[in-house]
Amino acid sequence: MNSSPLQFVSIDQALDIINKTIEEIDGFETVSLEQSLNKILAEDVYSSSDYPPFDVSLMDGYALCAEALFSEGEKEFAIASEIYAGKAVSKTFDPNQCVKVATGAAVPKPFDLVVIQEEVILKDGRIKIKGKYNKGDNIKKAGEEIQRGQLLCCKGQKIDSRLINLLASLGIHQLKVKPTLRVHLFSTGEEIKPVGTTISYGQIFDSNRIFLQNALKELGVCVEGGNIVQDDFDAVENEMNKAKKSQANLIISTGGLSVGEKDYVAKFIDKKCWIYFKKIAIKPGRPFSFSSFEGIPFFSLPGNPPAVLVSFYALLREAVAKRMGWSINPFIKFKAPIAIEMRKKAGRVEYYFGKELYNQYQRFVEPVSLKDPAGFLSALKADVLLSLPSQSTFIPKDMPVDCIRL
Ligand SMILES: Nc1nc2c(c(=O)[nH]1)N[C@H]1C(S)=C(S)[C@@H](COP(=O)(O)OP(=O)(O)OC[C@H]3O[C@@H](n4cnc5c(N)ncnc54)[C@H](O)[C@@H]3O)O[C@H]1N2
Ligand code: MOO
């Protein structure tokens, strides 16, 4: 099949091509607030009411009028009523009266201040105030926190528990969200065996697929497929056709991407896919192919586990987020000074899993391990994926480097 003229690209070119090529999946579905966790909003949401919806007492005490309290003369108030949280009172009150209110009770007009019950002297149905007060004390006014018509959240935002909390407080119980992205995932290799089986000499457990499956689930994706495909052209084609038949929104594979005799994913891509790029100037993860199979975006990762980890955080999850329609702040990127000096060869961006360190004034990042920059244990201990620039051979201590929060 055809391909773009650029087959070997820089990481910036790769991200740019992905960004320009990958389209957000079509449509939306309506879900209840209860079922909306980790989904992507397909609409802007505005508040249909004020919060709090009424002037609410923040303390147990007595609601009264500030003006009456500050006026000259007797500072005693007759208790006209008792109001508990959840109880509406429709009476009208005189400014020289007060009402006993519970925390959470609606404060009726004309009262504009709540005196806590520890600071009153109660005698014969009347109170005397001991403390000093200002208008508005211990009351949260209607709409003080959120106003009707206020923009709460936007299309492209991922729904988390704090957003659910906000929407629940306003009684918003249905949301338009993007359909859950369906990703067809498979690994390849004669030597790859599922976890839970026994391996013999030369064989290896399928850690890549388990990692990707769970990392994708963490993003809010539905993962399908899950096979280990043998090193055989027809087996790869058969798996790709399964993805097409199930109308997957995206396909991801690992392994079989290099130049070896049995690297059938690479051969399949050359023969059957439209290729955007095949290699990226990064270490690890150089063989990483982005292509399209029958209109479905196809990301093929190398088999090497560190390359899978790095390409997932540096690249793949950006593509997945774009396809999901997750456009608002999917991942945190920043620059931070490196804690030690580093050396490298020129020509590829080099990735290390790193830790964030803090002194009194500043944040630093430091590779978890120089020996295993992107190994399983380094990834486990890391907070960030840090990268050293392509053309540099020496990175002095304190030089700011690019970091991606994991
Ligand atoms: N002559 C060359 N050889 C290689 C090149 C090259 O340019 N010329 N590139 C090297 C680089 S860089 C990488 S990365 C690997 C990529 O190779 P493949 O994508 O074909 O990966 P495999 O050979 O299938 O596996 C590599 C390695 O990873 C282990 N593996 C594979 N799948 C899994 C899995 N699902 N879970 C855990 N581990 C897995 C596999 O056993 C191998 O050890 O090619 C280099 N070679
Ligand atoms: O650059 Mo490979 O991707 O050695 O891991």
Side-chain angles (χ1 to χ4, degrees):
M1 268 202 109
N2 283 326
S3 68
S4 124
L6 282 174
Q7 293 221 349
F8 189 35
V9 295
S10 69
I11 181 73
D12 291 339
Q13 283 172 317
L15 287 168
D16 191 48
I17 294 169
I18 287 172
N19 200 32
K20 287 187 176 133
T21 313
I22 294 283
E23 286 174 6
E24 168 181 333
I25 49 167
D26 287 334
F28 65 85
E29 56 195 34
T30 303
V31 294
S32 70
L33 190 65
E34 291 273 354
Q35 290 167 342
S36 67
L37 184 68
N38 277 341
K39 296 194 181 286
I40 309 298
L41 270 173
E43 60 176 347
D44 295 344
V45 180
Y46 295 86
S47 178
S48 52
S49 50
D50 288 339
Y51 190 89
F54 46 82
D55 292 356
V56 61
S57 173
L58 301 176
M59 301 295 253
D60 295 313
Y62 296 86
L64 42 90
C65 278
E67 210 173 306
L69 180 63
F70 304 145
S71 62
E72 291 297 316
E74 185 62 74
K75 306 260 176 80
E76 270 192 23
F77 297 85
I79 305 168
S81 187
E82 290 189 5
I83 305 175
Y84 295 100
K87 292 279 176 260
V89 173
S90 54
K91 281 194 223 167
T92 46
F93 296 99
D94 184 284
N96 291 313
Q97 293 177 311
C98 71
V99 288
K100 188 172 184 194
V101 287
T103 303
V107 176
K109 285 196 167 46
F111 304 128
D112 54 13
L113 149 70
V114 168
V115 173
I116 64 171
Q117 69 188 37
E118 295 88 325
E119 294 194 339
V120 302
I121 299 160
L122 178 64
K123 200 177 170 201
D124 302 331
R126 300 175 72 79
I127 56 165
K128 259 190 181 174
I129 317 299
K130 290 193 282 180
K132 277 203 170 303
Y133 283 89
N134 292 310
K135 183 176 170 178
D137 280 354
N138 299 321
I139 292 178
K140 194 171 213 179
K141 297 289 285 177
E144 190 177 310
E145 195 168 329
I146 301 158
Q147 289 89 52
R148 178 197 293 253
Q150 184 175 338
L151 179 65
L152 301 172
C153 48
C154 298
K155 181 178 184 300
Q157 195 168 331
K158 192 171 201 183
I159 300 168
D160 62 16
S161 52
R162 282 165 293 147
L163 179 55
I164 291 176
N165 185 27
L166 165 68
L167 299 177
S169 73
L170 295 161
I172 295 169
H173 59 99
Q174 281 200 321
L175 294 169
K176 278 187 189 165
V177 297
K178 296 299 294 178
T180 301
L181 192 78
R182 292 172 41 245
V183 173
H184 191 98
L185 172 68
F186 63 95
S187 50
T188 64
E190 224 65 60
E191 79 283 23
I192 307 304
K193 299 291 163 206
V195 180
T197 59
T198 319
I199 49 173
S200 34
Y201 184 72
Q203 297 182 329
I204 197 155
F205 289 120
D206 185 6
S207 57
N208 287 344
R209 191 182 47 82
I210 295 271
F211 163 66
L212 287 170
Q213 184 177 316
N214 286 286
L216 289 164
K217 273 193 199 163
E218 278 176 347
L219 297 181
V221 162
C222 168
V223 182
E224 299 172 352
N227 294 317
I228 300 172
V229 174
Q230 297 304 292
D231 291 326
D232 174 86
F233 190 92
D234 293 344
V236 173
E237 183 161 39
N238 187 29
E239 190 67 22
M240 293 296 286
N241 282 328
K242 271 192 211 160
K244 183 185 143 198
K245 201 166 165 216
S246 71
Q247 297 181 314
N249 304 121
L250 198 97
I251 309 171
I252 298 172
S253 70
T254 86
L257 200 57
S258 187
V259 291
E261 199 69 0
K262 291 197 157 202
D263 288 329
Y264 284 106
V265 175
K267 295 187 201 318
F268 179 84
I269 292 167
D270 282 341
K271 206 161 171 198
K272 300 277 181 173
C273 299
W274 166 270
I275 301 164
Y276 296 103
F277 57 80
K278 281 169 77 167
K279 280 187 182 166
I280 312 175
I282 57 173
K283 186 181 172 190
R286 181 169 48 190
F288 177 107
S289 149
F290 171 34
S291 62
S292 162
F293 173 65
E294 307 270 347
I296 308 172
F298 178 28
F299 290 93
S300 355
L301 280 57
N304 184 18
V308 169
L309 280 162
V310 164
S311 43
F312 176 79
Y313 290 106
L315 206 70
L316 183 65
R317 67 178 185 172
E318 300 262 348
V320 172
K322 180 91 199 291
R323 191 93 176 102
M324 290 167 79
W326 182 9
S327 55
I328 298 183
N329 301 331
F331 311 112
I332 297 166
K333 295 179 183 176
F334 58 93
K335 274 189 188 283
I338 191 147
I340 53 168
E341 66 176 40
M342 305 276 292
R343 285 168 204 280
K344 67 181 272 296
K345 282 190 188 159
R348 290 203 262 172
V349 171
E350 277 187 21
Y351 287 91
Y352 285 77
F353 281 108
K355 290 286 297 168
E356 287 180 73
L357 310 168
Y358 295 87
N359 69 16
Q360 210 177 338
Y361 309 103
Q362 214 178 351
R363 166 170 61 180
F364 294 90
V365 285
E366 183 176 59
V368 173
S369 159
L370 297 180
K371 193 169 141 275
D372 270 323
F376 298 109
L377 283 172
S378 302
L380 181 69
K381 292 176 188 159
D383 312 307
V384 297
L385 182 67
L386 65 90
S387 60
L388 308 182
S390 176
Q391 290 318 318
S392 306
T393 53
F394 177 67
I395 293 90
K397 180 176 176 301
D398 290 334
M399 189 181 111
V401 294
D402 288 321
C403 300
I404 307 170
R405 174 84 33 79
L406 299 184

